[in-house]
Amino acid sequence: MKTVICPSMLSADFNILGEQLKEIDATKAEYLHIDVMDGTFVPSISFGMPVIKSIRATTDIFFDVHFMIVNPEKYVDETAKIGADGITFHYEAAGEKTEAVIEQIRKAGCKVGLSIKPATPVSAIEKFLDKIDMLLIMTVEPGFGGQPFIPESYDKIREARKLIEDKGLSVDIQVDGGIYKENIASVKEAGANIFVAGSAVFKGSITENVEALAKELGM
Ligand code: DX5
Ligand code: ZN
């Protein structure tokens, strides 16, 4: 599986967002992680369509949109239209509608991601593994950057990677929350291959930070 670093825009300095995105473009990071929060599924509100649309004009990087919203089906088509490359939604938000939302994202031309919160077991989404491109295992409670990695996540990542392998699938496993140069290698070892990093990228020098993460990942 290919290894991907995804800076999380939530931690950017929005005063100089354009400059920071240009700096990211010149690093080994291949995805930009874009957290859309609605203040209902999670306590905070982040940014939405006008922001995504505006930054789409500045960079060709893969837009990895992470919906932390209720009723994800309401926003899939518009998000795809304004330039998302991948859309990830939460199983906890979609429930019975999960399969329909997967199909909707696929039909809209985007890569399909399905996410579970720390309290949701991998078994809850096992039946969707053959329908998605990426499983996002949240390694913190969704809602805020800068929280510590939840150690129980290691077992979930291992369990999910084993299930994916046993089924002969090639689903990416993304991790999001509390990823730093100190733990990224062990999270990769557990079976993740796509790494979201907010604070670890945006605190200090973006270029040096991405390089430090890449080094830990053997990239
Ligand atoms: C958390 C968001 C993350 C967040 C990660 O709810 O989904 O993408 O930006 O930030 P760090 O890497 O600082 O934990
Ligand atoms: Zn996220």
PDB file of all heavy atoms in Angstrom, residues 76-101:
ATOM      1  N   VAL A  76     -22.630  15.775  -0.410  1.00  0.00           N
ATOM      2  CA  VAL A  76     -21.689  15.009  -1.243  1.00  0.00           C
ATOM      3  C   VAL A  76     -21.561  15.608  -2.641  1.00  0.00           C
ATOM      4  O   VAL A  76     -20.451  15.874  -3.125  1.00  0.00           O
ATOM      5  CB  VAL A  76     -22.123  13.528  -1.326  1.00  0.00           C
ATOM      6  CG1 VAL A  76     -21.386  12.804  -2.452  1.00  0.00           C
ATOM      7  CG2 VAL A  76     -21.895  12.823  -0.003  1.00  0.00           C
ATOM      8  N   ASP A  77     -22.670  15.828  -3.315  1.00  0.00           N
ATOM      9  CA  ASP A  77     -22.605  16.237  -4.717  1.00  0.00           C
ATOM     10  C   ASP A  77     -21.927  17.593  -4.882  1.00  0.00           C
ATOM     11  O   ASP A  77     -21.078  17.773  -5.750  1.00  0.00           O
ATOM     12  CB  ASP A  77     -24.011  16.242  -5.333  1.00  0.00           C
ATOM     13  CG  ASP A  77     -24.595  14.832  -5.380  1.00  0.00           C
ATOM     14  OD1 ASP A  77     -23.810  13.863  -5.319  1.00  0.00           O
ATOM     15  OD2 ASP A  77     -25.828  14.686  -5.456  1.00  0.00           O
ATOM     16  N   GLU A  78     -22.277  18.525  -4.017  1.00  0.00           N
ATOM     17  CA  GLU A  78     -21.668  19.857  -4.117  1.00  0.00           C
ATOM     18  C   GLU A  78     -20.164  19.801  -3.823  1.00  0.00           C
ATOM     19  O   GLU A  78     -19.358  20.450  -4.507  1.00  0.00           O
ATOM     20  CB  GLU A  78     -22.351  20.812  -3.129  1.00  0.00           C
ATOM     21  CG  GLU A  78     -21.936  22.251  -3.352  1.00  0.00           C
ATOM     22  CD  GLU A  78     -22.531  23.198  -2.316  1.00  0.00           C
ATOM     23  OE1 GLU A  78     -23.411  22.784  -1.530  1.00  0.00           O
ATOM     24  OE2 GLU A  78     -22.092  24.368  -2.300  1.00  0.00           O
ATOM     25  N   THR A  79     -19.793  19.011  -2.832  1.00  0.00           N
ATOM     26  CA  THR A  79     -18.375  18.915  -2.466  1.00  0.00           C
ATOM     27  C   THR A  79     -17.565  18.296  -3.602  1.00  0.00           C
ATOM     28  O   THR A  79     -16.443  18.720  -3.888  1.00  0.00           O
ATOM     29  CB  THR A  79     -18.224  18.099  -1.163  1.00  0.00           C
ATOM     30  OG1 THR A  79     -19.051  18.701  -0.174  1.00  0.00           O
ATOM     31  CG2 THR A  79     -16.797  18.083  -0.665  1.00  0.00           C
ATOM     32  N   ALA A  80     -18.152  17.320  -4.263  1.00  0.00           N
ATOM     33  CA  ALA A  80     -17.473  16.708  -5.411  1.00  0.00           C
ATOM     34  C   ALA A  80     -17.346  17.736  -6.528  1.00  0.00           C
ATOM     35  O   ALA A  80     -16.290  17.870  -7.151  1.00  0.00           O
ATOM     36  CB  ALA A  80     -18.250  15.485  -5.883  1.00  0.00           C
ATOM     37  N   LYS A  81     -18.395  18.474  -6.735  1.00  0.00           N
ATOM     38  CA  LYS A  81     -18.427  19.440  -7.836  1.00  0.00           C
ATOM     39  C   LYS A  81     -17.386  20.551  -7.677  1.00  0.00           C
ATOM     40  O   LYS A  81     -16.779  20.990  -8.647  1.00  0.00           O
ATOM     41  CB  LYS A  81     -19.843  20.049  -7.904  1.00  0.00           C
ATOM     42  CG  LYS A  81     -20.179  20.612  -9.256  1.00  0.00           C
ATOM     43  CD  LYS A  81     -21.650  20.944  -9.371  1.00  0.00           C
ATOM     44  CE  LYS A  81     -21.795  22.202 -10.204  1.00  0.00           C
ATOM     45  NZ  LYS A  81     -22.915  23.019  -9.761  1.00  0.00           N
ATOM     46  N   ILE A  82     -17.144  20.960  -6.454  1.00  0.00           N
ATOM     47  CA  ILE A  82     -16.182  22.054  -6.254  1.00  0.00           C
ATOM     48  C   ILE A  82     -14.741  21.561  -6.149  1.00  0.00           C
ATOM     49  O   ILE A  82     -13.839  22.333  -5.888  1.00  0.00           O
ATOM     50  CB  ILE A  82     -16.534  22.936  -5.042  1.00  0.00           C
ATOM     51  CG1 ILE A  82     -16.544  22.110  -3.760  1.00  0.00           C
ATOM     52  CG2 ILE A  82     -17.862  23.647  -5.269  1.00  0.00           C
ATOM     53  CD1 ILE A  82     -16.756  22.941  -2.512  1.00  0.00           C
ATOM     54  N   GLY A  83     -14.533  20.254  -6.331  1.00  0.00           N
ATOM     55  CA  GLY A  83     -13.156  19.805  -6.478  1.00  0.00           C
ATOM     56  C   GLY A  83     -12.604  18.837  -5.462  1.00  0.00           C
ATOM     57  O   GLY A  83     -11.390  18.608  -5.443  1.00  0.00           O
ATOM     58  N   ALA A  84     -13.461  18.212  -4.633  1.00  0.00           N
ATOM     59  CA  ALA A  84     -12.944  17.176  -3.731  1.00  0.00           C
ATOM     60  C   ALA A  84     -12.487  15.989  -4.570  1.00  0.00           C
ATOM     61  O   ALA A  84     -13.086  15.686  -5.602  1.00  0.00           O
ATOM     62  CB  ALA A  84     -14.023  16.728  -2.757  1.00  0.00           C
ATOM     63  N   ASP A  85     -11.406  15.334  -4.142  1.00  0.00           N
ATOM     64  CA  ASP A  85     -10.951  14.113  -4.818  1.00  0.00           C
ATOM     65  C   ASP A  85     -11.401  12.879  -4.050  1.00  0.00           C
ATOM     66  O   ASP A  85     -11.632  11.829  -4.628  1.00  0.00           O
ATOM     67  CB  ASP A  85      -9.421  14.125  -4.930  1.00  0.00           C
ATOM     68  CG  ASP A  85      -8.934  15.281  -5.785  1.00  0.00           C
ATOM     69  OD1 ASP A  85      -9.228  15.279  -6.987  1.00  0.00           O
ATOM     70  OD2 ASP A  85      -8.297  16.209  -5.246  1.00  0.00           O
ATOM     71  N   GLY A  86     -11.494  13.032  -2.736  1.00  0.00           N
ATOM     72  CA  GLY A  86     -11.986  11.957  -1.889  1.00  0.00           C
ATOM     73  C   GLY A  86     -12.923  12.550  -0.857  1.00  0.00           C
ATOM     74  O   GLY A  86     -12.699  13.674  -0.398  1.00  0.00           O
ATOM     75  N   ILE A  87     -13.994  11.810  -0.523  1.00  0.00           N
ATOM     76  CA  ILE A  87     -14.899  12.262   0.541  1.00  0.00           C
ATOM     77  C   ILE A  87     -15.043  11.133   1.547  1.00  0.00           C
ATOM     78  O   ILE A  87     -15.368   9.996   1.185  1.00  0.00           O
ATOM     79  CB  ILE A  87     -16.291  12.657  -0.010  1.00  0.00           C
ATOM     80  CG1 ILE A  87     -16.169  13.826  -0.997  1.00  0.00           C
ATOM     81  CG2 ILE A  87     -17.243  13.016   1.149  1.00  0.00           C
ATOM     82  CD1 ILE A  87     -17.497  14.230  -1.654  1.00  0.00           C
ATOM     83  N   THR A  88     -14.781  11.468   2.802  1.00  0.00           N
ATOM     84  CA  THR A  88     -14.912  10.507   3.897  1.00  0.00           C
ATOM     85  C   THR A  88     -16.041  10.977   4.808  1.00  0.00           C
ATOM     86  O   THR A  88     -16.086  12.147   5.184  1.00  0.00           O
ATOM     87  CB  THR A  88     -13.592  10.422   4.689  1.00  0.00           C
ATOM     88  OG1 THR A  88     -12.560   9.983   3.813  1.00  0.00           O
ATOM     89  CG2 THR A  88     -13.715   9.463   5.856  1.00  0.00           C
ATOM     90  N   PHE A  89     -16.950  10.055   5.142  1.00  0.00           N
ATOM     91  CA  PHE A  89     -18.040  10.414   6.056  1.00  0.00           C
ATOM     92  C   PHE A  89     -18.040   9.430   7.209  1.00  0.00           C
ATOM     93  O   PHE A  89     -17.381   8.390   7.168  1.00  0.00           O
ATOM     94  CB  PHE A  89     -19.387  10.414   5.318  1.00  0.00           C
ATOM     95  CG  PHE A  89     -19.836   9.040   4.860  1.00  0.00           C
ATOM     96  CD1 PHE A  89     -20.793   8.323   5.581  1.00  0.00           C
ATOM     97  CD2 PHE A  89     -19.292   8.450   3.724  1.00  0.00           C
ATOM     98  CE1 PHE A  89     -21.196   7.049   5.172  1.00  0.00           C
ATOM     99  CE2 PHE A  89     -19.681   7.176   3.310  1.00  0.00           C
ATOM    100  CZ  PHE A  89     -20.633   6.472   4.035  1.00  0.00           C
ATOM    101  N   HIS A  90     -18.795   9.774   8.260  1.00  0.00           N
ATOM    102  CA  HIS A  90     -18.823   8.931   9.451  1.00  0.00           C
ATOM    103  C   HIS A  90     -19.964   7.937   9.428  1.00  0.00           C
ATOM    104  O   HIS A  90     -21.123   8.288   9.182  1.00  0.00           O
ATOM    105  CB  HIS A  90     -18.904   9.794  10.720  1.00  0.00           C
ATOM    106  CG  HIS A  90     -17.553  10.192  11.199  1.00  0.00           C
ATOM    107  ND1 HIS A  90     -16.871   9.465  12.145  1.00  0.00           N
ATOM    108  CD2 HIS A  90     -16.730  11.190  10.818  1.00  0.00           C
ATOM    109  CE1 HIS A  90     -15.690  10.021  12.348  1.00  0.00           C
ATOM    110  NE2 HIS A  90     -15.581  11.070  11.549  1.00  0.00           N
ATOM    111  N   TYR A  91     -19.608   6.697   9.745  1.00  0.00           N
ATOM    112  CA  TYR A  91     -20.605   5.639   9.900  1.00  0.00           C
ATOM    113  C   TYR A  91     -21.638   6.044  10.958  1.00  0.00           C
ATOM    114  O   TYR A  91     -22.833   5.833  10.786  1.00  0.00           O
ATOM    115  CB  TYR A  91     -19.890   4.340  10.305  1.00  0.00           C
ATOM    116  CG  TYR A  91     -20.839   3.266  10.724  1.00  0.00           C
ATOM    117  CD1 TYR A  91     -21.703   2.671   9.806  1.00  0.00           C
ATOM    118  CD2 TYR A  91     -20.887   2.843  12.060  1.00  0.00           C
ATOM    119  CE1 TYR A  91     -22.589   1.692  10.204  1.00  0.00           C
ATOM    120  CE2 TYR A  91     -21.769   1.868  12.461  1.00  0.00           C
ATOM    121  CZ  TYR A  91     -22.625   1.300  11.540  1.00  0.00           C
ATOM    122  OH  TYR A  91     -23.511   0.348  11.947  1.00  0.00           O
ATOM    123  N   GLU A  92     -21.181   6.698  12.028  1.00  0.00           N
ATOM    124  CA  GLU A  92     -22.091   7.085  13.122  1.00  0.00           C
ATOM    125  C   GLU A  92     -23.108   8.130  12.656  1.00  0.00           C
ATOM    126  O   GLU A  92     -24.178   8.275  13.241  1.00  0.00           O
ATOM    127  CB  GLU A  92     -21.298   7.658  14.310  1.00  0.00           C
ATOM    128  CG  GLU A  92     -20.267   6.712  14.924  1.00  0.00           C
ATOM    129  CD  GLU A  92     -18.924   6.744  14.188  1.00  0.00           C
ATOM    130  OE1 GLU A  92     -18.794   7.465  13.180  1.00  0.00           O
ATOM    131  OE2 GLU A  92     -18.001   6.039  14.641  1.00  0.00           O
ATOM    132  N   ALA A  93     -22.761   8.876  11.601  1.00  0.00           N
ATOM    133  CA  ALA A  93     -23.664   9.918  11.096  1.00  0.00           C
ATOM    134  C   ALA A  93     -24.628   9.362  10.053  1.00  0.00           C
ATOM    135  O   ALA A  93     -25.734   9.873   9.892  1.00  0.00           O
ATOM    136  CB  ALA A  93     -22.854  11.057  10.476  1.00  0.00           C
ATOM    137  N   ALA A  94     -24.189   8.318   9.356  1.00  0.00           N
ATOM    138  CA  ALA A  94     -25.002   7.815   8.234  1.00  0.00           C
ATOM    139  C   ALA A  94     -25.872   6.629   8.630  1.00  0.00           C
ATOM    140  O   ALA A  94     -26.984   6.467   8.105  1.00  0.00           O
ATOM    141  CB  ALA A  94     -24.093   7.433   7.069  1.00  0.00           C
ATOM    142  N   GLY A  95     -25.384   5.800   9.559  1.00  0.00           N
ATOM    143  CA  GLY A  95     -26.167   4.640  10.032  1.00  0.00           C
ATOM    144  C   GLY A  95     -26.698   3.804   8.880  1.00  0.00           C
ATOM    145  O   GLY A  95     -25.944   3.331   8.041  1.00  0.00           O
ATOM    146  N   GLU A  96     -28.016   3.661   8.836  1.00  0.00           N
ATOM    147  CA  GLU A  96     -28.684   2.842   7.806  1.00  0.00           C
ATOM    148  C   GLU A  96     -28.406   3.333   6.388  1.00  0.00           C
ATOM    149  O   GLU A  96     -28.568   2.584   5.434  1.00  0.00           O
ATOM    150  CB  GLU A  96     -30.201   2.913   8.019  1.00  0.00           C
ATOM    151  CG  GLU A  96     -30.643   2.619   9.425  1.00  0.00           C
ATOM    152  CD  GLU A  96     -31.428   1.334   9.493  1.00  0.00           C
ATOM    153  OE1 GLU A  96     -32.584   1.334   9.032  1.00  0.00           O
ATOM    154  OE2 GLU A  96     -30.871   0.332   9.994  1.00  0.00           O
ATOM    155  N   LYS A  97     -28.040   4.609   6.279  1.00  0.00           N
ATOM    156  CA  LYS A  97     -27.832   5.176   4.941  1.00  0.00           C
ATOM    157  C   LYS A  97     -26.409   4.952   4.431  1.00  0.00           C
ATOM    158  O   LYS A  97     -26.048   5.428   3.356  1.00  0.00           O
ATOM    159  CB  LYS A  97     -28.105   6.694   4.986  1.00  0.00           C
ATOM    160  CG  LYS A  97     -29.559   7.047   5.244  1.00  0.00           C
ATOM    161  CD  LYS A  97     -29.777   8.556   5.279  1.00  0.00           C
ATOM    162  CE  LYS A  97     -29.273   9.182   6.561  1.00  0.00           C
ATOM    163  NZ  LYS A  97     -29.637  10.591   6.751  1.00  0.00           N
ATOM    164  N   THR A  98     -25.584   4.246   5.206  1.00  0.00           N
ATOM    165  CA  THR A  98     -24.157   4.132   4.860  1.00  0.00           C
ATOM    166  C   THR A  98     -23.923   3.646   3.430  1.00  0.00           C
ATOM    167  O   THR A  98     -23.157   4.258   2.674  1.00  0.00           O
ATOM    168  CB  THR A  98     -23.432   3.220   5.877  1.00  0.00           C
ATOM    169  OG1 THR A  98     -23.548   3.835   7.163  1.00  0.00           O
ATOM    170  CG2 THR A  98     -21.958   3.054   5.535  1.00  0.00           C
ATOM    171  N   GLU A  99     -24.604   2.580   3.052  1.00  0.00           N
ATOM    172  CA  GLU A  99     -24.354   2.033   1.715  1.00  0.00           C
ATOM    173  C   GLU A  99     -24.774   3.023   0.623  1.00  0.00           C
ATOM    174  O   GLU A  99     -24.073   3.191  -0.382  1.00  0.00           O
ATOM    175  CB  GLU A  99     -25.071   0.691   1.540  1.00  0.00           C
ATOM    176  CG  GLU A  99     -24.537  -0.037   0.344  1.00  0.00           C
ATOM    177  CD  GLU A  99     -24.754  -1.550   0.381  1.00  0.00           C
ATOM    178  OE1 GLU A  99     -25.015  -2.100   1.480  1.00  0.00           O
ATOM    179  OE2 GLU A  99     -24.670  -2.158  -0.692  1.00  0.00           O
ATOM    180  N   ALA A 100     -25.876   3.699   0.851  1.00  0.00           N
ATOM    181  CA  ALA A 100     -26.356   4.681  -0.136  1.00  0.00           C
ATOM    182  C   ALA A 100     -25.364   5.836  -0.272  1.00  0.00           C
ATOM    183  O   ALA A 100     -25.099   6.325  -1.375  1.00  0.00           O
ATOM    184  CB  ALA A 100     -27.732   5.200   0.275  1.00  0.00           C
ATOM    185  N   VAL A 101     -24.790   6.273   0.836  1.00  0.00           N
ATOM    186  CA  VAL A 101     -23.830   7.382   0.776  1.00  0.00           C
ATOM    187  C   VAL A 101     -22.545   6.935   0.060  1.00  0.00           C
ATOM    188  O   VAL A 101     -21.980   7.685  -0.735  1.00  0.00           O
ATOM    189  CB  VAL A 101     -23.525   7.958   2.181  1.00  0.00           C
ATOM    190  CG1 VAL A 101     -22.537   9.110   2.097  1.00  0.00           C
ATOM    191  CG2 VAL A 101     -24.807   8.421   2.868  1.00  0.00           C
TER     192      VAL A 101
END
